[in-house]
Amino acid sequence: MAKKDLDWANIGFGYRTTEFRYVANYKDGQWQDGFLTEDANVTVNECAGILQYCQEVFEGLKAYTTKDGHIVTFRPDLNATRMMDSALRLEMPPFPAERFLEAIDEVVKANADWVPPYGSGATLYIRPYMFASSPVIGVKPAQEYQFRVFVTPVGPYFKGGAKPLTLCVSDFDRAAPNGTGHVKAGLNYAMSLHANVTAHANGYDENVFLDPATRTYVEETGGANFIFIDKEGNLVTPKSESILPSITRRSLLYVAEHYLGMKVTERPVRLDELENFAECGLCGTAAVISPVGKIVDHGKDICFPSGMDAMGPVTQKLYDTLTGIQMGTIEAPEGWIRKIM
């Protein structure tokens, strides 16, 4: 299998059109057979539910070339389940989990020469998504939907290494109590865009969103969950019903406990206790872990002892272990790796 002739180490983290994508339509109360297409464009009616009332959910995962040359995905069954949960919350027909996994396999196989080689630092990003495709003018769920999957090769999220970020405590709320903060839907990310642009304009890398009810507890950023390492080397992560259930975070908690022997606690984390932690990181599919060096709370600097030069030592161990599992250099827990080729 010949790979595309690309400078894999320098392709950057962005969209690049590949040959094939998967499409399946929901009509007359059932999901129809899916198919591969070379057409990268989506055509919908001007009154489609996605355009009028934002009925859309999506996922994000990656395919990797392992050290022994296989192409694999990492815990895609959890993406399938989370997408079903998201769909139900938005009154959309869930795409069956087994068909989800088969669609991922099919698209990755069809674009196998776009999967970056082992050791390049690049991966194949996979984007499954589903949206309301039929016209709807009254405020109600649409009757027809489309499920699609496309892939694009991406370089390391941080070119030249992951430098610690500087965050600011946001004056905006990411999600409402009993709202859709736990759902992976485009509407949640749209709500964070203004806050992100504002943070960047003020010289910060990202926001810290607090719980909207009391503005006392740390929740997440616009697109990643928090992990903290206390001064005894234990892992603490915020607990809230409006936090997106990150698959990367869930995996890191398991790695911390079962591979590194750490004590793991999931609990509400107060803003005023952040200065007691030794390390801080943001976790998600794109970068796995992004280290945080400083959080600014309206002029007050909260500096983590791990500093602004590199990942903290415990965070680095977590990163190295999880990426080792993904790349096949460390044995994975049963069921975590799905072999495609």
Side-chain angles (χ1 to χ4, degrees), residues 107-148:
V107 175
V108 172
K109 285 180 181 178
N111 294 287
D113 51 354
W114 287 98
V115 182
Y118 173 79
S120 65
T123 53
L124 188 73
Y125 190 85
I126 306 167
R127 173 53 58 87
Y129 62 109
M130 182 170 69
F131 57 90
S133 55
S134 61
V136 54
I137 197 65
V139 181
K140 61 183 180 181
Q143 296 298 306
E144 297 177 7
Y145 298 84
Q146 188 168 105
F147 170 85
R148 298 177 71 100

Side-chain angles (χ1 to χ4, degrees), residues 22-287:
Y22 179 93
V23 181
N25 291 296
Y26 181 88
K27 191 174 182 179
D28 298 328
Q30 62 182 354
W31 283 105
Q32 300 177 342
D33 292 339
F35 58 91
L36 291 177
T37 176
E38 294 186 55
D39 188 357
N41 296 307
V42 178
T43 301
V44 294
N45 185 274
E46 63 185 353
C47 197
I50 174 58
L51 301 178
Q52 303 308 318
Y53 302 120
C54 206
Q55 265 189 298
E56 182 266 358
V57 296
F58 71 99
E59 279 297 323
L61 63 156
K62 291 178 176 179
Y64 311 85
T65 300
T66 61
K67 187 176 182 180
D68 57 8
H70 293 298
I71 294 176
V72 304
T73 49
F74 178 73
R75 310 193 79 178
D77 55 312
L78 298 186
N79 294 95
T81 301
R82 187 169 65 180
M83 191 170 192
M84 293 177 73
D85 292 341
S86 295
L88 288 171
R89 181 63 177 82
L90 267 64
E91 291 297 329
M92 303 168 73
F95 194 73
E98 191 54 41
R99 288 192 60 183
F100 178 100
L101 296 175
E102 291 169 356
I104 299 299
D105 291 353
E106 196 171 344
V107 175
V108 172
K109 285 180 181 178
N111 294 287
D113 51 354
W114 287 98
V115 182
Y118 173 79
S120 65
T123 53
L124 188 73
Y125 190 85
I126 306 167
R127 173 53 58 87
Y129 62 109
M130 182 170 69
F131 57 90
S133 55
S134 61
V136 54
I137 197 65
V139 181
K140 61 183 180 181
Q143 296 298 306
E144 297 177 7
Y145 298 84
Q146 188 168 105
F147 170 85
R148 298 177 71 100
V149 182
F150 70 80
V151 297
T152 186
V154 294
Y157 198 73
F158 296 104
K159 187 177 180 180
K163 298 299 182 183
L165 308 175
T166 298
L167 314 184
C168 65
V169 175
S170 180
D171 290 323
F172 300 100
D173 293 329
R174 173 187 165 271
N178 302 313
T180 58
H182 63 293
V183 174
K184 197 165 180 67
L187 57 89
N188 287 333
Y189 292 78
M191 293 293 288
S192 72
L193 293 179
H194 178 64
N196 286 348
V197 170
T198 301
H200 294 162
N202 290 321
Y204 302 106
D205 297 300
E206 252 289 10
N207 289 286
V208 177
F209 289 110
L210 304 178
D211 76 289
T214 70
R215 298 193 59 79
T216 301
Y217 297 97
V218 172
E219 295 222 318
E220 63 168 91
T221 67
N225 285 185
F226 277 103
I227 58 169
F228 299 99
I229 307 299
D230 68 19
K231 293 178 181 178
E232 287 71 47
N234 305 310
L235 190 154
V236 179
T237 188
K239 182 177 183 179
S240 167
E241 293 300 319
S242 56
I243 290 177
L244 182 74
S246 164
I247 294 166
T248 302
R249 183 185 68 162
R250 179 172 170 177
S251 302
L252 285 168
L253 299 189
Y254 185 93
V255 164
E257 182 176 1
H258 297 278
Y259 281 69
L260 302 180
M262 298 168 60
K263 179 183 176 182
V264 173
T265 304
E266 187 175 0
R267 63 169 176 79
V269 174
R270 300 190 317 276
L271 175 63
D272 63 12
E273 67 175 300
L274 294 191
E275 59 191 17
N276 298 327
F277 291 114
E279 301 176 32
C280 174
L282 306 178
C283 57
T285 299

Side-chain angles (χ1 to χ4, degrees), residues 303-314:
C303 299
F304 297 99
S306 52
M308 294 297 297
D309 295 323
M311 276 191 187
V314 178

